Amino acid sequence: MGSPWIKSIILVSCMFSALVECSVHNYKFDVVVANVTRNCWTKPIVTVNGQFPGPTLYVREDDTVLVQVVNHVKYNISIHWHGVKQLRNGWADGPSYITQCPIQPGQSYVYNFTLTGQRGTLWWHAHILWLRATVHGALVILPKLGVPYPYPTPYKEEVLILGEWWNSDVEAVADEALSSGAPPNISDTHTINSYPGPLSRCSSAGDFILNVETGKTYMLRIISAALNDQLFFKIAGHQLTVVEVDATYVKPFNIETILVSPGQTINVLVTANKPPGKFLIIASPFMDSVVPVDDVATSGLINYSGSLATSQISLTAPPPQNKTELFTKFATSLKSLNSQTYPCLVPSTVDHSLLFTVGVGLDACANCDNGVRFVADINNITFEMPTTALLQAHYFNKTQGVFSDDFPGNPLIVFNYTGTPPNNTETMKGTRLYRLAYNSTVQIVLQGTQYVAPETHPMHLHGFNFFEVGRGFGDYESKQDPLKFNLVDPVERNTIGVPTGGWTAIRFRADNPGVWFFHCHLEVHTTWGLKMAFVVGNGNGPNESVLPPPSDLPTC
Ligand SMILES: *[C@@H]1O[C@H](CO)[C@@H](O)[C@H](O)[C@H]1NC(C)=O
Ligand SMILES: *[C@@H]1O[C@H](CO)[C@@H](O)[C@H](O)[C@H]1NC(C)=O
Ligand SMILES: *[C@@H]1O[C@H](CO)[C@@H](O)[C@H](O)[C@H]1NC(C)=O
Ligand SMILES: *[C@@H]1O[C@H](CO)[C@@H](O)[C@H](O)[C@H]1NC(C)=O
Ligand SMILES: *[C@@H]1O[C@H](CO)[C@@H](O)[C@H](O)[C@H]1NC(C)=O
Ligand SMILES: *[C@@H]1O[C@H](CO)[C@@H](O)[C@H](O)[C@H]1NC(C)=O
Ligand SMILES: *[C@@H]1O[C@H](CO)[C@@H](O)[C@H](O)[C@H]1NC(C)=O
Ligand SMILES: *[C@@H]1O[C@H](CO)[C@@H](O)[C@H](O)[C@H]1NC(C)=O
Ligand SMILES: *[C@@H]1O[C@H](CO)[C@@H](O)[C@H](O)[C@H]1NC(C)=O
Ligand SMILES: *[C@@H]1O[C@H](CO)[C@@H](O)[C@H](O)[C@H]1NC(C)=O
Ligand SMILES: *[C@@H]1O[C@H](CO)[C@@H](O)[C@H](O)[C@H]1NC(C)=O
Ligand SMILES: *[C@@H]1O[C@H](CO)[C@@H](O)[C@H](O)[C@H]1NC(C)=O
Ligand SMILES: [Cu+2]
């Protein structure tokens, strides 16, 4: 590779997303407003490069990715690489005011990160305001060249992004909710790759149609970019073989219906083993509580070669919206592959044993429509966003007045979390973090509460994967429940659904120094304050310390 000419050819070719074979990938994301037509509406939305969904990035394990993001819109922006561990490199993580100040209108920033030891389906999305509704796309990390999948190589792969569409402006929806104190308007439809699908009255040329050949196996890389809704996903007449979640391999299993929460990714294999025809793909909401939800299912099609243009579609009904058993069945079927090549490295001991209640409360609010404002909390703390980035404050030892590290590891008031709610539904406010020493081990029991109503919360941790060692309904019992923990092959994820009126227990090793956001991936709950952050100290020497910040890091 001595010739500079060859080098420059490779660099140029790396700028095209379809070309995988280079170890450094350069992309440019122009954040622009574009008019798009969906769901019978044409409206201006914020996009990357005018595309909706945004471009898919195809890379390989251990590759380096450089994305220059240029902000041409009126909003501040930042991009999160969801599920990328960003070892020692929080500067490229992306949540605004947590790891970076936003990229302001007219400015740009280069996200520079390496996919060390990671392969699978991840995605990227805006991490400020509600912009991720339209600013998102897939990040497909193939295994290293020559390394096979630990399951039969599919004949073809497709990215399938589930989303939510509002006919009105999404930022107006969020603003309206914040000023009234009431929940935001629900979306108008769900979408697959941004289209409502062939069963909707707005069916169009972009609908998701997977043309298949009899006998072949296909892999769907399913991503949920939905803002506030968790979605069931199934295909008429076809089993799904789940092989990977959140870019970690699982023991393959067959199931009819999966649940995809905002933030999660799931790879499934589908074998075209039916007589030629058309088969409905359907994604429909899951809600086993009283919270209003957009009940419009979205659809796609599997279309066999040899099926007639006129042939009927084999339909399948969406599951009942409140079918908790389907969620439980899917969640409890997931086990790490735990092979020699891909071992399950769940911590067997715990340095920090934490219990975090997660839920929604109500605060008094004189200026709000009903005299109250919806808030959300972890351990009764509604997180207040700082006005400068936490990671910078930490790195430069300027934390005073920005954050404190006294986040309570356990609820300050113990009550029956899933029983009669306390009379007082108010929460505390604060920018409080929880401090972890480098390489310490952490267990968090995420306990759903019902101050207002119980609900499932897909909790997402930045900077790490974690292992889900247990889950259950009701209040977590610290004596009995740990006896049932799976410490052999628990599933490894970055986003986990806490069941309605129940709990999940997760474990991780804090081997990534920096400041790492932990929040509900329902945008409405994040907005209401269901979020906090961990500050993980440096270990020994530069290899265990946060990297220096890049020179173009945005300032506040
Ligand atoms: C979108 O369409 C509207 C109405 O036709 C037009 O005024 C506006 O300039 C267009 N915006 C963009 C970014 O193309
Ligand atoms: C990306 O980061 C690497 C490692 O920190 C550094 O060596 C390289 O110069 C950076 N590249 C750019 C274009 O900033
Ligand atoms: C929210 O829904 C209400 C009732 O349908 C409607 O009046 C209002 O305009 C909507 N708000 C936005 C921002 O679309
Ligand atoms: C389905 O496949 C058939 C046969 O290959 C083709 O004629 C038809 O156009 C396809 N239908 C759609 C909706 O793509
Ligand atoms: C689920 O919803 C159906 C229809 O609304 C209702 O009849 C049923 O009681 C609900 N089941 C549970 C467990 O809430
Ligand atoms: C912050 O404080 C630590 C420990 O006191 C020190 O090692 C480090 O150099 C300081 N960082 C900066 C940027 O001043
Ligand atoms: C909490 O409340 C639930 C629902 O009312 C009840 O089933 C449970 O026994 C209560 N738990 C305790 C420890 O009191
Ligand atoms: C809550 O309110 C009810 C009814 O007003 C009252 O009976 C009960 O004692 C209160 N509970 C607490 C813990 O204050
Ligand atoms: C939450 O904090 C508020 C405000 O300090 C307090 O009034 C309330 O009792 C607390 N509730 C719980 C369950 O800790
Ligand atoms: C972290 O702790 C584990 C268990 O004590 C140990 O095996 C490992 O070497 C440590 N890693 C680092 C980087 O210190
Ligand atoms: C740090 O990591 C690099 C690359 O893995 C290695 O070459 C170097 O020896 C390490 N330095 C220390 C002090 O461990
Ligand atoms: C963008 O971010 C900067 C820095 O935090 C802030 O001062 C400014 O008000 C923000 N602009 C908008 C349009 O929100
Ligand atoms: Cu939530």
Side-chain angles (χ1 to χ4, degrees):
M1 215 53 70
S3 154
W5 183 78
I6 291 180
K7 252 188 206 152
S8 78
I9 290 283
I10 287 175
L11 266 183
V12 168
S13 65
C14 286
M15 295 179 91
F16 298 93
S17 61
L19 294 174
V20 174
E21 302 317 335
C22 44
S23 59
V24 179
H25 304 256
N26 285 274
Y27 295 91
K28 187 164 182 241
F29 277 17
D30 282 301
V31 180
V32 293
V33 172
N35 281 326
V36 304
T37 304
R38 296 290 190 279
N39 197 26
C40 311
W41 284 74
T42 296
K43 79 170 194 192
I45 58 169
V46 180
T47 67
V48 164
N49 300 346
Q51 293 171 248
F52 178 49
T56 299
L57 274 49
Y58 287 96
V59 300
R60 285 192 190 274
E61 176 174 348
D62 290 350
D63 285 358
T64 293
V65 181
L66 293 160
V67 185
Q68 186 193 14
V69 177
V70 187
N71 184 358
H72 303 278
V73 301
K74 65 179 179 180
Y75 302 108
N76 284 335
I77 192 114
S78 67
I79 304 286
H80 171 50
W81 313 89
H82 185 114
V84 174
K85 290 181 187 168
Q86 305 288 7
L87 297 171
R88 305 189 288 127
N89 186 32
W91 311 114
D93 191 39
S96 280
Y97 301 108
I98 306 297
T99 57
Q100 68 165 96
C101 296
I103 307 165
Q104 296 185 34
Q107 298 190 344
S108 76
Y109 177 49
V110 177
Y111 290 90
N112 175 358
F113 56 92
T114 300
L115 298 155
T116 312
Q118 294 193 266
R119 82 300 300 168
T121 307
L122 292 175
W123 62 300
W124 55 265
H125 61 79
H127 214 307
I128 186 169
L129 306 168
W130 279 31
L131 292 174
R132 80 173 172 86
T134 55
V135 179
H136 62 245
L139 171 60
V140 174
I141 315 169
L142 301 171
K144 283 187 259 197
L145 196 60
V147 175
Y149 296 129
Y151 45 80
T153 304
Y155 177 66
K156 240 184 126 191
E157 307 182 3
E158 293 282 346
V159 167
L160 192 155
I161 302 180
L162 306 177
E164 262 179 282
W165 169 270
W166 278 260
N167 289 335
S168 48
D169 179 72
V170 193
E171 295 310 326
V173 171
D175 288 346
E176 183 181 71
L178 278 177
S179 62
S180 74
N185 286 359
I186 56 175
S187 51
D188 293 292
T189 188
H190 296 102
T191 53
I192 299 180
N193 291 351
S194 82
Y195 291 91
L199 285 199
S200 82
R201 65 193 170 88
C202 302
S203 181
S204 77
D207 293 342
F208 182 82
I209 295 167
L210 180 66
N211 288 300
V212 302
E213 288 174 36
T214 302
K216 300 275 201 264
T217 296
Y218 297 79
M219 181 157 79
L220 302 180
R221 296 177 177 273
I222 303 165
I223 297 167
S224 178
L227 250 54
N228 297 327
D229 295 343
Q230 328 209 24
L231 295 165
F232 287 126
F233 179 93
K234 63 195 278 210
I235 303 177
H238 292 75
Q239 288 275 314
L240 309 174
T241 305
V242 181
V243 291
E244 183 203 299
V245 295
D246 295 1
T248 70
Y249 296 129
V250 298
K251 288 191 177 75
F253 63 96
N254 293 336
I255 198 162
E256 202 171 290
T257 306
I258 60 173
L259 182 82
V260 204
S261 297
Q264 297 182 326
T265 59
I266 302 176
N267 285 8
V268 300
L269 302 178
V270 181
T271 299
N273 55 7
K274 285 285 175 296
K278 294 188 171 78
F279 295 83
L280 192 72
I281 300 172
I282 195 160
S284 64
F286 165 57
M287 173 48 74
D288 58 354
S289 182
V290 297
V291 178
V293 68
D294 168 7
D295 62 2
V296 184
T298 174
S299 54
L301 283 186
I302 287 192
N303 181 33
Y304 280 68
S305 79
S307 81
L308 304 173
T310 53
S311 64
Q312 291 264 313
I313 301 170
S314 297
L315 297 175
T316 183
Q321 207 168 279
N322 59 3
K323 195 90 176 149
T324 310
E325 302 95 285
L326 292 178
F327 170 30
T328 309
K329 182 180 177 200
F330 175 60
T332 55
S333 299
L334 292 168
K335 306 271 186 272
S336 277
L337 182 60
N338 193 25
S339 65
Q340 207 151 24
T341 319
Y342 304 103
C344 176
L345 301 174
V346 57
S348 54
T349 58
V350 169
D351 299 323
H352 298 261
S353 185
L354 313 179
L355 179 73
F356 283 6
T357 62
V358 291
V360 173
L362 281 172
D363 274 6
C365 170
N367 303 326
C368 295
D369 285 358
N370 300 310
V372 287
R373 172 205 306 283
F374 278 84
V375 290
D377 68 281
I378 302 179
N379 278 351
N380 202 39
I381 297 169
T382 294
F383 190 84
E384 280 185 324
M385 286 306 263
T387 52
T388 187
L390 301 176
L391 181 59
Q392 274 113 316
H394 164 63
Y395 184 86
F396 292 107
N397 298 327
K398 289 188 176 147
T399 60
Q400 204 168 8
V402 181
F403 70 84
S404 59
D405 62 1
D406 59 350
F407 191 89
N410 285 275
L412 299 174
I413 297 179
V414 174
F415 60 102
N416 187 338
Y417 307 116
T418 53
T420 311
N423 290 358
N424 180 354
T425 59
E426 302 235 337
T427 62
M428 288 180 268
K429 314 290 172 276
T431 310
R432 295 163 70 172
L433 276 60
Y434 191 92
R435 187 174 290 278
L436 296 168
Y438 180 80
N439 204 34
S440 58
T441 53
V442 188
Q443 174 176 297
I444 313 174
V445 174
L446 295 161
Q447 173 70 61
T449 64
Q450 50 177 11
Y451 287 15
V452 179
E455 199 181 334
T456 91
H457 300 281
M459 296 297 295
H460 172 51
L461 179 61
H462 292 225
F464 306 91
N465 284 348
F466 51 71
F467 300 88
E468 188 205 30
V469 296
R471 67 167 49 227
F473 290 99
D475 282 13
Y476 170 73
E477 301 280 354
S478 62
K479 294 220 165 44
Q480 291 307 310
D481 287 323
L483 303 176
K484 289 175 280 181
F485 281 178
N486 176 2
L487 299 178
V488 177
D489 60 357
V491 67
E492 181 179 343
R493 306 204 74 159
N494 63 51
T495 307
I496 196 77
V498 180
T500 301
W503 56 272
T504 55
I506 60 172
R507 286 190 184 186
F508 66 98
R509 178 178 294 282
D511 54 4
N512 190 11
V515 173
W516 304 109
F517 209 14
F518 184 49
H519 63 96
C520 181
H521 219 283
L522 305 186
E523 213 54 49
V524 52
H525 293 171
T526 316
T527 305
W528 286 344
L530 212 169
K531 51 195 172 185
M532 56 83 70
F534 289 97
V535 51
V536 180
N538 289 334
N540 293 321
N543 280 5
E544 296 179 357
S545 299
V546 177
L547 291 167
S551 56
D552 61 342
L553 189 69
T555 52
C556 288

Coordinates of all heavy atoms in Angstrom, one line a residue, residues 33-35 42-44, ligand 1:
V33 N -33.3 20.3 5.9 CA -34.8 20.1 5.9 C -35.1 19.7 4.5 O -34.6 20.2 3.5 CB -35.5 21.4 6.2 CG1 -37.0 21.3 6.0 CG2 -35.2 21.8 7.7
A34 N -36.0 18.7 4.3 CA -36.4 18.2 3.0 C -37.9 18.0 3.1 O -38.4 17.6 4.1 CB -35.7 16.9 2.7
N35 N -38.6 18.2 2.0 CA -40.0 17.9 1.9 C -40.2 16.4 1.6 O -39.6 16.0 0.6 CB -40.6 18.7 0.7 CG -40.9 20.2 1.1 OD1 -41.2 20.4 2.3 ND2 -40.8 21.1 0.2
T42 N -47.4 15.8 2.6 CA -46.0 16.3 2.2 C -45.7 17.3 3.2 O -46.4 18.2 3.5 CB -46.0 16.9 0.8 OG1 -46.3 15.9 -0.1 CG2 -44.7 17.5 0.5
K43 N -44.6 17.1 3.9 CA -44.2 18.1 4.9 C -42.7 18.2 5.0 O -42.0 17.2 4.7 CB -44.9 17.8 6.2 CG -44.2 16.7 7.1 CD -44.8 16.7 8.5 CE -43.8 15.8 9.3 NZ -44.3 15.4 10.6
P44 N -42.2 19.4 5.4 CA -40.8 19.5 5.6 C -40.3 18.8 6.9 O -40.9 19.0 7.9 CB -40.6 21.0 5.7 CG -41.9 21.6 6.0 CD -43.0 20.6 5.7
Ligands
LIG1 C1 -41.2 22.5 0.7 O1 -42.4 22.7 0.1 C2 -42.9 24.0 0.4 C3 -44.2 24.2 -0.3 O2 -44.2 23.7 -1.6 C4 -41.9 25.1 -0.1 O3 -42.4 26.4 0.2 C5 -40.6 24.9 0.6 O4 -39.6 25.7 0.1 C6 -40.1 23.4 0.4 N1 -38.9 23.2 1.2 C7 -37.8 22.6 0.8 C8 -36.7 22.5 1.8 O5 -37.7 22.1 -0.3

